[in-house]
Amino acid sequence: MRAAAAAAATSTAAALLAPGLKLCAGRARVSSCRLPLRRVAAMASAPNSSFRPEEARSPPALELPTPPLSKFKVALCQLSVTADKSRNIAHARAAIEKAASDGAKLVLLPEIWNGPYSNDSFPEYAEDIEAGGDAAPSFSMMSEVARSLQITLVGGSIAERSGNNLYNTCCVFGSDGQLKGKHRKIHLFDIDIPGKITFKESKTLTAGQSPTVVDTDVGRIGIGICYDIRFQELAMLYAARGAHLLCYPGAFNMTTGPLHWELLQRARAADNQLFVATCGPARDTSAGYVAWGHSTLVGPFGEVIATTEHEETTIIADIDYSLIEQRRQFLPLQHQRRGDLYQLVDVQRLGSN
């Protein structure tokens, strides 16, 4: 059934993106665009000035920067997670090394990959990232492996201890092994669906206070963690800051996963006309919290480029940033927004200006 649905989605995407689209082994790739892009651009360049589209973002949206790499392979490592932290660290390293050997320049890990996802476990598995060394073995491994393999690593998330607080934190490492950015989960996972699932991250975790955009060797990346994906304002803010790609390590559950996981990824990608990559842990039905899996890469038209089921695996897929500009020419949303009616305010950028 899943295969049939994926095939139908691919067929629909092919119809929408044609001409200039070829299908290869179930994946869509643009060979050469024969649509009259200059005509589309000319239409877009003359918006109704009374609509004031540039004012729909405050401050005005940044131009999409030229990335160091426009085409590269990304790896989504859907890892099995156990209660053995040392094993989890070694297991993640092996998966990263295998992904790099398969040509990946960007590697993503899942949310809370170094221990169980539970309020009881967060304090036990938490690491002092600022102290480093023995106080942060997961962090140290990621830094070292990014440097040795010369890759960009979006390190999923781990529980971070800072003073008296615990955070759900994603670390982004450059190909030199240096920490490029650190995202503390902004929106904590506090939900109660009677008879299905109740979880309150706020029992142990503290919410982060800052959006995170990182310039890397594979472009400008906006970072969110799991529940952050539900808040479209954050993704819109990242797009306005010039992100090429949004990365969301996440561990959706068996209730909301089937309903919302792919839907949210495709919505964030289509609304903002950029790439979205997610990475979750493999499913363990014996765990206290059972993850949905289904790590996925979505393109800027909302098309699913690559995905998987719930087993442990690594997805290797191609990203081509030239598709972003192409899709934005097809649908010139940035020139059609109604700044006279609504506005997204980036509080941090506005304050810094």
Side-chain angles (χ1 to χ4, degrees), residues 73 75 77 93-107 145 148-151 314 316:
K73 292 186 182 297
C77 299
R93 179 172 190 134
I96 296 167
E97 291 173 341
K98 178 62 166 62
S101 72
D102 289 338
K105 292 297 183 182
L106 171 65
V107 178
V145 77
S148 64
L149 299 174
Q150 297 185 316
I151 59 168
T314 294
I316 305 287

Side-chain angles (χ1 to χ4, degrees), residues 147-226:
R147 181 195 60 77
S148 64
L149 299 174
Q150 297 185 316
I151 59 168
T152 299
L153 177 60
V154 176
S157 79
I158 61 174
E160 177 198 4
R161 186 182 302 279
S162 180
N164 295 324
N165 294 327
L166 296 176
Y167 299 94
N168 188 340
T169 299
C170 175
C171 296
V172 181
F173 299 90
S175 56
D176 58 359
Q178 295 299 306
L179 181 67
K180 292 284 189 179
K182 184 173 71 172
H183 179 78
R184 291 170 170 169
K185 191 174 187 176
I186 294 174
H187 305 95
L188 295 184
F189 180 58
D190 284 8
I191 70 165
D192 183 9
I193 303 177
K196 296 290 187 179
I197 181 171
T198 298
F199 201 98
K200 305 287 184 183
E201 276 189 329
S202 61
K203 285 184 177 180
T204 55
L205 300 178
T206 299
Q209 296 298 314
S210 179
T212 307
V213 176
V214 186
D215 284 316
T216 75
D217 289 344
V218 292
R220 184 168 294 174
I221 302 176
I223 304 293
I225 300 174
C226 200

Side-chain angles (χ1 to χ4, degrees), residues 3 6-14 17 20-31 72-76 102 275 295-299 303-308 313-320 323 327:
T10 300
S11 177
T12 301
L17 302 181
L21 183 87
K22 294 182 179 179
L23 294 181
C24 180
R27 292 183 185 170
R29 63 179 177 87
V30 173
S31 56
F72 60 91
K73 292 186 182 297
V74 61
L76 314 177
D102 289 338
F275 285 87
S295 302
T296 302
L297 176 67
V298 181
E303 72 276 24
V304 175
I305 295 173
T307 190
T308 187
T313 189
T314 294
I315 297 172
I316 305 287
D318 294 311
I319 286 180
D320 181 354
L323 297 184
R327 304 306 189 241

Side-chain angles (χ1 to χ4, degrees), residues 79-82 88 109-118 121-122 125-126 155-160 167-170 185 199 201 205 225-226 249-251 279-281 289:
L79 303 174
S80 62
V81 179
T82 71
N88 294 335
L109 299 182
E111 181 183 24
I112 306 294
W113 58 265
N114 69 346
Y117 182 85
S118 74
S121 298
F122 295 151
Y125 289 77
S157 79
I158 61 174
E160 177 198 4
Y167 299 94
N168 188 340
T169 299
C170 175
K185 191 174 187 176
F199 201 98
E201 276 189 329
L205 300 178
I225 300 174
C226 200
C279 188
Y289 181 95

Side-chain angles (χ1 to χ4, degrees), residues 251-270:
F252 266 49
N253 55 74
M254 298 299 293
T255 299
T256 59
L259 289 170
H260 300 150
W261 182 231
E262 182 178 300
L263 173 70
L264 289 166
Q265 296 172 63
R266 297 184 68 191
R268 298 296 85 85

